[in-house]
Amino acid sequence: MVLSDLEGFIWFDGKIVEWKEAKVHVLTHTLHYGLGVFEGVRAYSTPTGTSIFRLDDHIDRLFQSAETVGLSIPFSAEQLKDAHGEIISLNNLKEAYMRPMCFYGSESLGIRADSLTVHSIVAAWEWPSYLDPETQEKGLKVKVSSFRRQVRNKLSKAKVNGNYVQSIVALNEAIEQGFEETLMLDTDNFVAEGSGENFFMVKDNKLITPDLDSCLDGITRRTVIELAEELNIDFEERKIVLDEVFNCDEAFFTGTAVEVVPINSVDNKKISDGSRGPITEKLQKTYLEQVRGKRATNADWLTTVET
């Protein structure tokens, strides 16, 4: 799938633009320096119609990221939320991946980013499950990255475009070596996260995840933690050393794109017997039921799209 060849519409600075006409200049500031903010959002088919999962939380984080880097979004949170529903309807999507992004324009080029227009877009397209059913069951083969995730600063906690350069090179390194994903450590050698996912492991029936010193405050991460508490799964948030990962009973990644996906091995060392563990399976099943509106609890996490 070549994204630029798709048909449909994109919400661009408050207007509806034909998909193939949603263009920017090659001297766009964010293209050169990476100073922009974005989110990844998903909509699912539910019994009440197409519904966007945790839209309020995604838009709240978008504005928090923008505030961190001093980027002033020229639209309100409500306008951006409405844009998500509008563009899903216009593109006749039952399920969708959405990309809201705010970025600097092309008035000037240089490190001094003043007097620049801030542009905003919301795109939505059909993106079937990021991972095939077999991978969702059998899991990913993961490589510990040689790249370290920068932590302990405000920028590392924001969803900023340029932060993902590190993720891209780390994932490419893993793929080139025959793996499917990467696990990054932070600069203090504690486990951080995947290329674009949060990390969880299970040891002695306790669910454990890195604290927010080492990783992004992922919205799927928040969801899984809340579901674990609801399911009475013992939970701990703390620093994790790599040896613990090699000796854990289960491990999995979470993220808007991957949802909940097992990890079957790290650096060619099997996690337990190399199969999806029972707690991973329970959380994966509950998460998928939640996003598809099959649970009565947490109904406020779903925003139904008006058609």
Side-chain angles (χ1 to χ4, degrees):
M1 176 175 64
V2 179
L3 289 178
S4 58
D5 288 342
L6 297 181
E7 301 290 339
F9 304 93
I10 290 176
W11 187 93
F12 196 151
D13 286 345
K15 299 177 181 178
I16 302 301
V17 178
E18 290 277 353
W19 189 280
K20 293 178 181 178
E21 298 304 315
K23 300 176 181 178
V24 295
H25 196 273
V26 294
L27 294 181
T28 296
H29 194 277
T30 299
L31 177 63
H32 291 258
Y33 298 110
L35 184 50
V37 295
F38 74 99
E39 285 290 319
V41 189
R42 285 186 79 156
Y44 294 86
S45 178
T46 75
T48 59
T50 300
S51 299
I52 305 171
F53 188 64
R54 300 195 75 158
L55 178 60
D56 290 350
D57 295 294
H58 280 289
I59 297 302
D60 285 348
R61 190 173 63 177
L62 182 74
F63 276 82
Q64 290 166 7
S65 295
E67 183 178 1
T68 297
V69 297
L71 185 150
S72 181
I73 299 175
F75 297 93
S76 70
E78 288 304 316
Q79 285 175 303
L80 288 176
K81 291 175 193 176
D82 289 345
H84 282 71
E86 182 179 14
I87 212 65
I88 287 173
S89 294
L90 284 172
N91 288 337
N92 296 314
L93 297 169
K94 300 298 183 186
E95 299 204 348
Y97 182 85
M98 286 152 287
R99 173 52 53 87
M101 183 176 72
C102 301
F103 60 98
Y104 283 125
S106 55
E107 287 82 5
S108 64
L109 203 61
I111 299 300
R112 183 172 178 170
D114 57 355
S115 303
L116 293 172
T117 300
V118 176
H119 298 281
S120 303
I121 64 105
V122 178
W125 63 96
E126 185 178 357
W127 190 2
S129 183
Y130 188 67
L131 300 169
D132 59 76
E134 183 178 4
T135 302
Q136 289 179 329
E137 178 184 348
K138 295 186 176 179
L140 295 167
K141 182 180 177 184
V142 173
K143 169 70 178 175
V144 177
S145 178
S146 67
F147 296 91
R148 295 291 185 266
R149 190 185 192 281
Q150 301 300 311
V151 296
R152 299 185 189 281
N153 63 69
K154 289 171 64 177
L155 283 177
S156 70
K157 299 180 185 301
K159 203 166 177 68
V160 177
N161 296 42
N163 286 351
Y164 285 79
V165 170
Q166 203 170 40
S167 297
I168 293 167
V169 295
L171 180 57
N172 285 346
E173 174 190 61
I175 291 171
E176 288 170 1
Q177 294 180 32
F179 296 85
E180 296 164 303
E181 248 301 344
T182 189
L183 180 64
M184 301 179 73
L185 307 182
D186 66 21
T187 49
D188 295 321
N189 285 325
F190 293 113
V191 173
E193 57 189 17
S195 63
E197 309 90 6
N198 286 111
F199 173 80
F200 287 82
M201 70 179 196
V202 176
K203 183 66 178 179
D204 297 329
N205 292 315
K206 178 181 282 188
L207 181 67
I208 307 167
T209 196
D211 61 34
L212 292 177
D213 279 344
S214 299
C215 65
L216 184 73
D217 184 11
I219 289 166
T220 310
R221 175 185 184 274
R222 295 181 207 170
T223 303
V224 166
I225 291 170
E226 293 180 62
L227 292 176
E229 291 173 348
E230 182 188 332
L231 295 168
N232 295 314
I233 296 170
D234 194 13
F235 169 72
E236 185 177 10
E237 182 183 54
R238 63 168 172 81
K239 300 194 183 305
I240 299 170
V241 298
L242 188 56
D243 280 349
E244 292 182 276
V245 177
F246 293 133
N247 292 291
C248 71
D249 302 320
E250 305 177 38
F252 61 89
F253 281 134
T254 66
T256 297
V258 300
E259 300 167 322
V260 178
V261 61
I263 296 169
N264 60 46
S265 65
V266 176
D267 280 356
N268 289 319
K269 299 179 180 69
K270 283 185 180 181
I271 300 298
S272 189
D273 63 359
S275 62
R276 178 177 59 185
I279 291 178
T280 302
E281 184 175 6
K282 179 183 287 188
L283 287 168
Q284 184 186 57
K285 179 177 182 291
T286 305
Y287 178 82
L288 292 174
E289 289 174 349
Q290 187 74 64
V291 299
R292 296 191 180 280
K294 296 179 180 179
R295 306 182 79 236
T297 54
N298 308 309
D300 59 327
W301 285 350
L302 291 167
T303 301
T304 302
V305 175
E306 296 183 7
T307 57

